[in-house]
Amino acid sequence: MFRSAINRWCAGEEKRVDSRTIYVGHHQIPGVETFLPQSFCDNRIVSSKYTYWNFIPKNLFEQFRRIANFYFLIIFLVQVIVDTPTSPVTSGLPLFFVIIVTAIKQGYEDWLRHKADNSVNRSSVYIVNRRQIVEKQSEKIQVGDIVCVKEDETFPCDLILLSSSREDGTCYVTTASLDGESSQKTYFTVPDTNAFRTDVEIDSLIATIDCEQPQPDLYKFVGRIHVFSDKQEPIARSLGPENLLLRGATLKNTDKIYGVSVYTGMETKMALNYQGKSQKRSVVEKSINMFLIVYLGILVSKSLIGTALKYIWQLDPSNDEPWYSSKTLKEKNANKFIKMFTDFLSYMVLFNFIIPVSMYVTVEMQKFLGSYFITWDKDMYDDLLDEGALVNTSDLNEELGQIEYVFTDKTGTLTENNMEFIECCIDGFKYKNVGIEMSVVDGIPSTDDPHNRVCGMAGKEKEELFLRALCLCHTVQIKEEDKVDGLVKQQGKQYMYISSSPDEVALLQGAKKLGFTFQGMEKNWMKIQNRDTEVEMYELLQVLNFDSVRRRMSVIVQDRSGKIFLFCKGADSSVFPRVKAGKQEEIKFHVEHSAVDGLRTLCVAYKEFAQDEYDQFSTQLHAAKMALKDREEKLAEAYDNIENDMHLIGATAVEDKLQDQAAETIEALHSAGMKVWVLTGDKMETAMATCFACRLFNSNMKLLELTIKYIEEYRTEGAEKVHELLLELHKAVVQDKRCSSASLLRSWSVTQEYGLIIDGAALSLILKPTQDGTSNYKNLLLQICKRCTAVLCCRMAPLQKAQIVKMVKNTKDHPITLAIGDGANDVSMVLEAHVGIGLKGKEGRQAARNSDYAIPKFKHLRKLLLAHGHLYYIRIAQLVQYFFYKNLCFILPQFLYQFFCGFSQQPIYDATYLTLYNICFTSLPILLYSLVEQHINIEILKKDPSLYRNIANNALLQWKPFLYWTMLGLFNGLVFFFGAYFLYDNVSIAANGQVYGNWTFGTIVFTVLVFTVNFKLVLDTRYWTWVNHFVIWGSLAFFVMFSFFWGGIIWPFLKQQRMHFVFTQMLTSVSAWLTIILLITISLVPDVIVKLLSKPMGRRPQQSVRYAEPELLSFEYIKDGSFIPSPKSDDLTKL
């Protein structure tokens, strides 16, 4: 512990600088006399929250930060310090029960984290030390150690790849534990260190690494390595994310690698990503806080009234000091104001049970246990992925029933992200996929010869240049024989391509159909087999990687004759401005036509360099790669200079099919009253085609365009054109909707539906503040968007997606938003929305990892919202209202009793009843109700999305239903007290002649109370199982048995045996039985009448509602970490 603290304190010194220097193998640099290695933290991972010595104080501090817990702590302390009418046990025991249960739960979870940490920290790793392999514990790795990792082993820290057992200096890695991507990624060694492949050789390596300080971005790394030798000057090479092996990733298809540790322990990227997301609060939690303030006001009001009436009552000397209770000298000399304040506190203690402390524990348990119903749902299980839904945040279950806006990505979310090469355009001529062959569409009929089949109007030279570009401009790797999943590299000349982008694989497969096959890499040479089965070799000089800002990628290659080419592919908007020759208009026409058909398009261009021109660019590029500061900006500048004056060759078009039931899901969301927005980075025409295909847009909808192109072509010139265009759209949409709404009162005409299309450039222009900072563009845009049935936002950057979600979320109405996506570019909007949904897609699992809920397919969103969300909201709304109701019923007789006991703060209930009311007698029935209740069958909820509208806008937790529950509680409390009072006004002697006392009176009231609030739940329950019967009738039976037991024994630890034989004697009276039955019946009458007069939610005429039991997956049927659907059984489905 102390050593760890020292390490972290020392590590803090080096965090003050922008970079760190690492000595590979801890070897001293030749020629440097002083060797002062920096201090870094050890490799210990700490995911636990507590230690043995700080668990109690830290956990108590966190729990008492909650207002309710702190309030009851104050009440308990008042009971201990001040002479109050009730024992401290009455408030202390429920509070301690809540605190202890929560502490045990959190302590157990942290113990599991400690256990997991120890298993990782004490695992064996292999370090190269003094020219031999030494086994160590993982936690003892230091920065600068050379680590040897073998196939299928996990990297113990963040390593720079020094050498690999593969000849080409690469290794394959899976990062499923980091970002969920199961595909293998390729990492590269530094060319100057790959020759060191044995323990002795690698230990002789003398090098230093300068790199940035630890930061959590998994896909960013900036550094450089200096390799020293005796005879030559040190060689400097740049290091990037392609050289960094992350902790938690697994080595695949590589015998072993050597790497030097650069980040260890809590400074690894995996550990830095442990940081939790910002806490999201549901609308139900906000309603609870509002209701809590109301009831706190009621509590204070009751206490003030009781205190005031007490002193008014004591104005009469006979009431102030009756003959049977004379005041002591100390009481007579006491300060009156202090006595009044003490009395006020005593009333606060007496009435404090109106605030339901146990409600918070019940709500947490309901959310935690209820989340398993989503995880176990068989309808949300995907056979291909062999996975079901995943709940990352159970605090938002009820929020799923309140969604008003759905923001969805397109690629991989609405579509399969399974690309298929459909057609291409070469020099203005289209080549289309026909069956399994390719043929020319524009003018030249195809022949039977497959080699001549693609020779069309473009000419052989242009065709081959285009196909070479496809085969060279990518980052695809050939997958070798995989010992794990059985995939084979080459079987009948069938190559297995692996890439992080499915587009690149589709393009290579398309090029193969046209006669050009990429055959992989040999060292730094790319092999291509042309249509004449000849192998062409190209040396890979530079790779200009793709990024979301440039929206293109390039490679620079050199053929055997010495010619240097740059091949570039990217979005049309990023390539067209950078070409100077080629049939731009023809190719642009084909690109737009393909986009209208819903195809994803890329433009292809090339450029030939002279040697001196390339050397100049190479120098600039090398300087940018070697920079530790502002490397990305310098690289962007270098790329911008290189990717200019290119020649346009052609374009490609690949198809991304819609996901199964995507259109039906969007239709259901519309019918449920939700507005669906599609946010995508694709071009407008492609996105529009997808929106029509998935029925977001329809033929009857009037589409409004707000793109940068339309703004530039608008008739008004100058800076006011944006404002005037928005005003025109506002007039067309908003005012037309108002007129149409008014005309509906007099006509059967249908309101015109509008759809809006906006692009990223137009959005930036609209959201850009004016010079005075008072632009109303944003408000106009919001009003237009709110009136539109559907909105498509295309050409969106990831940050712009989050800006749109935030813009809608922060409007005046504060609508509940949901964002769903599958890729890393969707993480920002998933985190920004009230509810974030991640799809377990092919673009990785970044969105799923950062989401609140993860589902396999977009179609599962329908049941998640319309069924689970609907039911969770109904259940928790009932739970919250019921808790306030039953506590108001509980404490109102206590308040009324003060009017009949001289405001002496005498309790009406026994202290044991006060303590156990919320813990034992009434807690389990409402908890089970909130877990399994189905007021409407799940299948009906899925088939009739309009039922979702019934609970919109937090309908069940508004002031009107809250007042209904409050009035019902007041009525029941009045019936409990005055019913027992008037019925026993004349009948006050039992059969044996004994007079009934105040404890008997209070026991009758409490008995009626317990039975009434439980019967109220019986009336509200529509979905009955044997568990419901067991819990409800079991709670009532427990109350009766406990009352017999508590009053039937003389307890030696009690000073006063108040309840001795009270309950037994009460039940011997026929009048007591009649009173209890009559008061329970009267109390339930208003609720029965309301239920008879009101229309059941969701019930339609001539519609029979059959309550189907939910089908679940059980953990008993999970084998080897995979879901296996369980057979339907009564034991499984009834829970």
Side-chain angles (χ1 to χ4, degrees):
M1 187 71 62
F2 179 73
R3 181 170 61 88
S4 177
I6 293 295
N7 284 342
R8 296 189 181 188
W9 179 78
C10 293
E13 294 295 323
E14 51 88 14
K15 287 184 180 179
R16 297 179 184 176
V17 296
D18 294 331
S19 63
R20 56 169 58 181
T21 300
I22 299 158
Y23 298 91
V24 176
H26 308 288
H27 296 309
Q28 186 173 354
I29 305 304
V32 178
E33 297 180 0
T34 58
F35 177 63
L36 297 174
Q38 297 175 335
S39 298
F40 305 100
C41 69
D42 57 24
N43 198 40
R44 185 178 304 170
I45 283 291
V46 181
S47 63
S48 56
K49 192 175 183 180
Y50 307 104
T51 60
Y52 293 107
W53 61 270
N54 73 357
F55 172 72
I56 294 178
K58 189 174 182 179
N59 186 265
L60 289 177
F61 173 75
E62 290 178 349
Q63 291 204 57
F64 284 119
R65 287 172 63 186
R66 300 186 68 168
I67 296 176
N69 289 346
F70 183 73
Y71 162 77
F72 277 93
L73 176 64
I74 297 299
I75 293 295
F76 172 72
L77 294 177
V78 168
Q79 287 180 292
V80 172
I81 299 171
V82 180
D83 184 17
T84 57
T86 57
S87 168
V89 177
T90 58
S91 61
L93 188 59
L95 175 64
F96 293 152
F97 173 77
V98 170
I99 295 298
I100 290 173
V101 168
T102 306
I104 291 174
K105 172 180 172 289
Q106 295 178 350
Y108 174 72
E109 291 175 348
D110 203 64
W111 177 77
L112 293 178
R113 286 192 286 265
H114 271 283
K115 188 177 179 181
D117 290 344
N118 289 335
S119 66
V120 172
N121 292 331
R122 296 172 185 175
S123 61
S124 297
V125 295
Y126 299 94
I127 310 296
V128 177
N129 186 20
R130 296 181 181 179
R131 301 191 174 188
Q132 61 182 358
I133 293 290
V134 178
E135 184 177 351
K136 279 187 178 181
Q137 289 185 345
S138 175
E139 63 184 1
K140 295 182 179 179
I141 295 178
Q142 298 178 354
V143 172
D145 282 346
I146 299 176
V147 183
C148 177
V149 181
K150 297 181 180 180
E151 185 175 6
D152 293 329
E153 291 182 352
T154 300
F155 302 122
C157 57
D158 291 350
L159 304 170
I160 291 295
L161 180 58
L162 296 178
S163 67
S164 168
S165 59
R166 296 175 60 88
E167 292 294 331
D168 57 1
T170 63
C171 72
Y172 294 108
V173 171
T174 58
T175 57
S177 60
L178 296 174
D179 56 16
E181 293 187 28
S182 57
S183 60
Q184 296 183 10
K185 299 178 181 177
T186 307
Y187 288 82
F188 301 90
T189 63
V190 179
D192 305 279
T193 62
N194 189 46
F196 300 85
R197 296 187 178 180
T198 65
D199 302 338
V200 176
E201 291 174 349
I202 198 69
D203 194 48
S204 65
L205 174 64
I206 300 176
T208 62
I209 294 176
D210 297 323
C211 62
E212 62 184 357
Q213 293 295 349
Q215 51 98 5
D217 192 339
L218 295 175
Y219 310 101
K220 180 183 176 183
F221 176 75
V222 176
R224 62 171 173 253
I225 184 171
H226 300 269
V227 181
F228 295 85
S229 61
D230 296 334
K231 300 179 181 179
Q232 300 176 355
E233 291 293 323
I235 301 172
R237 302 289 185 186
S238 65
L239 299 174
E242 68 278 3
N243 307 116
L244 182 67
L245 305 173
L246 300 179
R247 176 174 191 149
T250 305
L251 184 66
K252 291 287 185 181
N253 291 333
T254 309
D255 292 337
K256 69 175 180 179
I257 62 97
Y258 291 100
V260 58
S261 58
V262 289
Y263 303 130
T264 53
M266 299 307 294
E267 291 182 344
T268 58
K269 290 183 179 289
M270 184 181 74
L272 293 175
N273 276 275
Y274 283 152
Q275 298 173 359
K277 304 182 290 288
S278 60
Q279 187 68 27
K280 295 181 179 180
R281 296 176 58 202
S282 70
V283 67
V284 170
E285 187 176 348
K286 297 173 185 176
S287 298
I288 292 176
N289 291 337
M290 289 192 301
F291 296 160
L292 198 63
I293 292 173
V294 172
Y295 270 71
L296 193 58
I298 294 174
L299 170 62
V300 174
S301 300
K302 284 183 176 181
S303 302
L304 290 173
I305 292 172
T307 304
L309 292 178
K310 176 177 181 177
Y311 283 90
I312 293 174
W313 168 267
Q314 290 180 353
L315 291 177
D316 186 346
S318 62
N319 294 332
D320 183 32
E321 191 175 1
W323 59 270
Y324 55 82
S325 179
S326 300
K327 289 185 176 181
T328 62
L329 182 62
K330 182 179 179 181
E331 290 175 334
K332 292 180 179 179
N333 296 332
N335 186 295
K336 191 172 184 178
F337 292 102
I338 294 178
K339 186 68 172 65
M340 290 177 67
F341 180 70
T342 304
D343 287 332
F344 171 77
L345 292 179
S346 298
Y347 274 116
M348 288 283 289
V349 170
L350 189 64
F351 302 144
N352 82 86
F353 289 95
I354 197 173
I355 307 296
V357 62
S358 60
M359 179 181 68
Y360 287 93
V361 178
T362 308
V363 167
E364 283 191 3
M365 293 179 66
Q366 190 268 350
K367 291 181 176 182
F368 174 72
L369 297 175
S371 63
Y372 285 102
F373 286 85
I374 296 177
T375 306
W376 292 338
D377 193 333
K378 291 199 298 186
D379 291 341
M380 301 174 70
Y381 174 83
D382 186 74
D383 293 327
L384 292 177
L385 292 176
D386 196 26
E387 293 183 66
L390 178 66
V391 179
N392 296 324
T393 306
S394 61
D395 292 338
L396 301 174
N397 291 344
E398 65 278 5
E399 203 83 332
L400 296 171
Q402 294 296 298
I403 303 301
E404 298 175 58
Y405 284 85
V406 175
F407 299 93
T408 174
D409 178 42
K410 184 184 76 70
T411 305
T413 304
L414 295 177
T415 61
E416 290 282 0
N417 198 19
N418 187 13
M419 307 302 174
E420 181 183 357
F421 187 89
I422 300 297
E423 63 187 34
C424 63
C425 172
I426 305 175
D427 201 34
F429 298 95
K430 183 162 72 171
Y431 295 71
K432 191 173 179 63
N433 189 4
V434 181
I436 61 172
E437 303 289 354
M438 301 294 296
S439 65
V440 182
V441 176
D442 296 332
I444 301 297
S446 61
T447 64
D448 293 332
D449 187 357
H451 290 163
N452 296 328
R453 186 179 300 275
V454 295
C455 296
M457 296 286 291
K460 182 178 179 180
E461 183 179 352
K462 288 290 180 67
E463 286 177 1
E464 293 185 347
L465 182 62
F466 176 82
L467 296 174
R468 286 190 184 95
L470 294 186
C471 289
L472 295 172
C473 188
H474 58 78
T475 57
V476 175
Q477 297 289 325
I478 296 292
K479 189 174 184 180
E480 294 187 358
E481 183 177 352
D482 195 332
K483 299 177 183 177
V484 178
D485 54 20
L487 294 173
V488 180
K489 171 187 174 183
Q490 186 173 358
Q491 185 176 4
K493 296 186 178 180
Q494 296 296 319
Y495 291 91
M496 185 68 186
Y497 298 124
I498 58 172
S499 174
S500 58
S501 171
D503 294 77
E504 292 191 329
V505 176
L507 294 179
L508 282 181
Q509 291 171 344
K512 186 176 180 181
K513 291 181 180 179
L514 290 167
F516 272 69
T517 304
F518 172 65
Q519 295 185 330
M521 301 273 295
E522 282 189 5
K523 295 186 177 179
N524 207 37
W525 289 80
M526 304 179 76
K527 291 173 32 178
I528 297 175
Q529 180 178 300
N530 60 26
R531 287 182 296 186
D532 299 324
T533 67
E534 297 174 350
V535 176
E536 301 178 4
M537 302 290 289
Y538 293 86
E539 184 181 4
L540 181 62
L541 301 179
Q542 302 285 350
V543 177
L544 282 57
N545 290 314
F546 174 87
D547 63 68
S548 58
V549 178
R550 288 167 51 241
R551 297 181 61 81
R552 61 184 180 273
M553 76 154 294
S554 301
V555 295
I556 301 177
V557 296
Q558 186 174 26
D559 63 12
R560 290 190 179 277
S561 65
K563 293 182 179 180
I564 301 175
F565 297 94
L566 176 140
F567 293 104
C568 175
K569 70 180 180 195
D572 59 319
S573 59
S574 65
V575 173
F576 277 130
R578 298 183 169 274
V579 297
K580 66 176 182 179
K583 296 183 178 180
Q584 297 186 31
E585 293 302 322
E586 294 87 343
I587 294 175
K588 188 174 183 181
F589 170 79
H590 283 291
V591 167
E592 292 176 351
H593 189 270
S594 298
V596 170
D597 292 337
L599 304 178
R600 292 165 58 90
T601 59
L602 287 175
C603 292
V604 181
Y606 85 102
K607 177 181 181 180
E608 185 174 353
F609 290 110
Q611 184 64 49
D612 56 345
E613 185 182 9
Y614 168 73
D615 292 340
Q616 181 181 352
F617 285 138
S618 179
T619 302
Q620 181 186 7
L621 201 57
H622 179 74
K625 287 183 177 180
M626 295 301 294
L628 289 182
K629 187 176 181 181
D630 300 329
R631 177 184 289 187
E632 292 182 353
E633 291 78 4
K634 293 177 180 178
L635 281 175
E637 182 181 354
Y639 292 165
D640 189 62
N641 292 335
I642 297 172
E643 296 170 326
N644 257 326
D645 299 329
M646 297 183 292
H647 300 269
L648 187 62
I649 316 173
T652 62
V654 297
E655 183 182 25
D656 189 7
K657 295 181 180 179
L658 275 182
Q659 283 197 18
D660 181 36
Q661 299 182 31
E664 291 82 353
T665 301
I666 287 183
E667 275 190 333
L669 298 181
H670 275 308
S671 300
M674 295 176 235
K675 294 185 176 180
V676 182
W677 293 27
V678 174
L679 313 181
T680 178
D682 276 356
K683 62 183 304 176
M684 185 181 74
E685 293 79 7
T686 305
M688 280 182 62
T690 303
C691 289
F692 276 106
C694 68
R695 303 175 197 168
L696 183 73
F697 294 158
N698 57 65
S699 57
N700 297 322
M701 187 178 292
K702 186 175 181 180
L703 297 182
L704 307 175
E705 185 178 336
L706 189 58
T707 61
I708 192 66
K709 179 180 178 182
Y710 188 72
I711 292 174
E712 291 174 352
E713 294 175 354
Y714 190 63
R715 61 179 179 270
T716 306
E717 296 296 331
E720 295 298 322
K721 66 166 66 175
V722 177
H723 188 242
E724 291 194 17
L725 177 57
L726 286 172
L727 285 176
E728 183 176 319
L729 293 177
H730 183 272
K731 181 179 178 181
V733 177
V734 178
Q735 295 183 11
D736 177 70
K737 281 250 178 177
R738 290 173 182 169
C739 296
S740 299
S741 299
S743 67
L744 284 177
L745 299 175
R746 308 182 300 273
S747 171
W748 293 98
S749 62
V750 180
T751 305
Q752 172 67 54
E753 288 187 335
Y754 289 93
L756 178 66
I757 303 170
I758 185 171
D759 64 4
L763 182 69
S764 300
L765 194 62
I766 292 170
L767 297 183
K768 183 179 179 180
T770 56
Q771 293 181 352
D772 57 0
T774 58
S775 173
N776 62 344
Y777 294 172
K778 182 178 175 181
N779 293 330
L780 284 173
L781 177 63
L782 277 172
Q783 291 181 42
I784 295 169
C785 291
K786 288 173 68 175
R787 295 288 182 176
C788 291
T789 308
V791 177
L792 166 62
C793 303
C794 50
R795 296 296 195 192
M796 289 285 130
L799 186 59
Q800 286 181 314
K801 292 184 178 183
Q803 287 176 337
I804 289 178
V805 175
K806 186 176 182 180
M807 180 179 69
V808 175
K809 187 173 74 170
N810 293 336
T811 54
K812 184 180 179 181
D813 299 333
H814 296 291
I816 306 301
T817 58
L818 178 146
I820 178 170
D822 72 318
N825 59 333
D826 302 316
V827 170
S828 55
M829 75 169 181
V830 166
L831 293 176
E832 183 63 46
H834 291 96
V835 179
I837 308 290
L839 254 65
K840 301 174 179 180
K842 297 182 179 179
E843 289 189 10
R845 300 289 178 91
Q846 296 94 325
R849 288 174 58 245
N850 289 276
S851 64
D852 303 305
Y853 301 87
I855 56 178
K857 298 292 183 183
F858 183 77
K859 66 180 180 180
H860 298 137
L861 185 65
R862 179 173 185 170
K863 186 174 185 182
L864 184 66
L865 299 183
L866 303 185
H868 288 292
H870 188 117
L871 292 175
Y872 280 130
Y873 176 76
I874 294 287
R875 293 165 180 169
I876 201 166
Q878 184 84 358
L879 184 151
V880 171
Q881 299 279 28
Y882 179 81
F883 256 98
F884 283 109
Y885 152 78
K886 72 185 183 72
N887 278 36
L888 182 58
C889 295
F890 180 41
I891 219 64
L892 182 60
Q894 180 72 75
F895 174 71
L896 296 174
Y897 187 63
Q898 299 307 304
F899 289 86
F900 297 89
C901 66
F903 304 99
S904 61
Q905 300 155 5
Q906 169 68 32
I908 190 175
Y909 308 120
D910 179 63
T912 308
Y913 286 158
L914 286 171
T915 304
L916 299 182
Y917 175 72
N918 279 316
I919 297 178
C920 299
F921 301 148
T922 60
S923 59
L924 284 180
I926 184 60
L927 174 60
L928 187 71
Y929 174 94
S930 65
L931 288 174
V932 301
E933 171 63 9
Q934 291 183 40
H935 67 294
I936 302 176
N937 177 261
I938 289 180
E939 291 302 318
I940 294 177
L941 289 174
K942 289 166 60 179
K943 292 177 181 177
D944 190 357
S946 62
L947 294 173
Y948 193 88
R949 298 172 182 260
N950 297 338
I951 60 170
N953 300 316
N954 200 19
L956 300 185
L957 289 175
Q958 296 292 346
W959 291 112
K960 185 176 179 180
F962 173 72
L963 289 175
Y964 166 75
W965 282 88
T966 302
M967 296 304 296
L968 187 62
L970 290 173
F971 172 78
N972 288 351
L974 291 171
V975 170
F976 298 160
F977 181 83
F978 286 109
Y981 177 80
F982 287 119
L983 287 173
Y984 272 82
D985 189 28
N986 296 322
V987 187
S988 58
I989 299 179
N992 59 4
Q994 184 174 350
V995 179
Y996 284 140
N998 64 307
W999 296 116
T1000 305
F1001 176 77
T1003 302
I1004 292 175
V1005 173
F1006 190 79
T1007 303
V1008 175
L1009 165 70
V1010 172
F1011 275 83
T1012 300
V1013 297
N1014 279 288
F1015 284 161
K1016 167 76 170 87
L1017 207 57
V1018 171
L1019 292 176
D1020 290 339
T1021 301
R1022 300 189 188 183
Y1023 178 68
W1024 284 93
T1025 65
W1026 67 267
V1027 184
N1028 295 77
H1029 288 287
F1030 176 79
V1031 169
I1032 291 178
W1033 310 123
S1035 295
L1036 294 175
F1038 175 75
F1039 162 69
V1040 174
M1041 290 187 293
F1042 176 82
S1043 298
F1044 276 118
F1045 178 72
W1046 181 247
I1049 299 176
I1050 296 178
W1051 301 97
F1053 56 84
L1054 295 179
K1055 295 180 180 179
Q1056 299 174 344
Q1057 305 293 329
R1058 297 171 177 173
M1059 298 298 294
H1060 181 62
F1061 237 62
V1062 168
F1063 191 78
T1064 305
Q1065 185 178 3
M1066 179 193 76
L1067 294 184
T1068 60
S1069 171
V1070 177
S1071 59
W1073 280 91
L1074 293 175
T1075 299
I1076 292 171
I1077 295 172
L1078 180 62
L1079 294 183
I1080 291 173
T1081 304
I1082 295 174
S1083 300
L1084 295 175
V1085 165
D1087 201 46
V1088 173
I1089 293 175
V1090 169
K1091 283 181 170 27
L1092 290 175
L1093 296 179
S1094 63
K1095 179 182 178 181
M1097 184 179 297
R1099 183 70 62 90
R1100 302 297 173 87
Q1102 299 179 351
Q1103 177 182 345
S1104 61
V1105 179
R1106 180 175 62 86
Y1107 298 102
E1109 296 173 343
E1111 294 184 348
L1112 306 176
L1113 287 173
S1114 170
F1115 279 122
E1116 298 175 4
Y1117 294 89
I1118 298 177
K1119 298 179 180 180
D1120 300 327
S1122 303
F1123 281 103
I1124 300 177
S1126 61
K1128 190 172 182 179
S1129 65
D1130 294 338
D1131 294 336
L1132 201 68
T1133 57
K1134 289 184 178 179
L1135 290 179

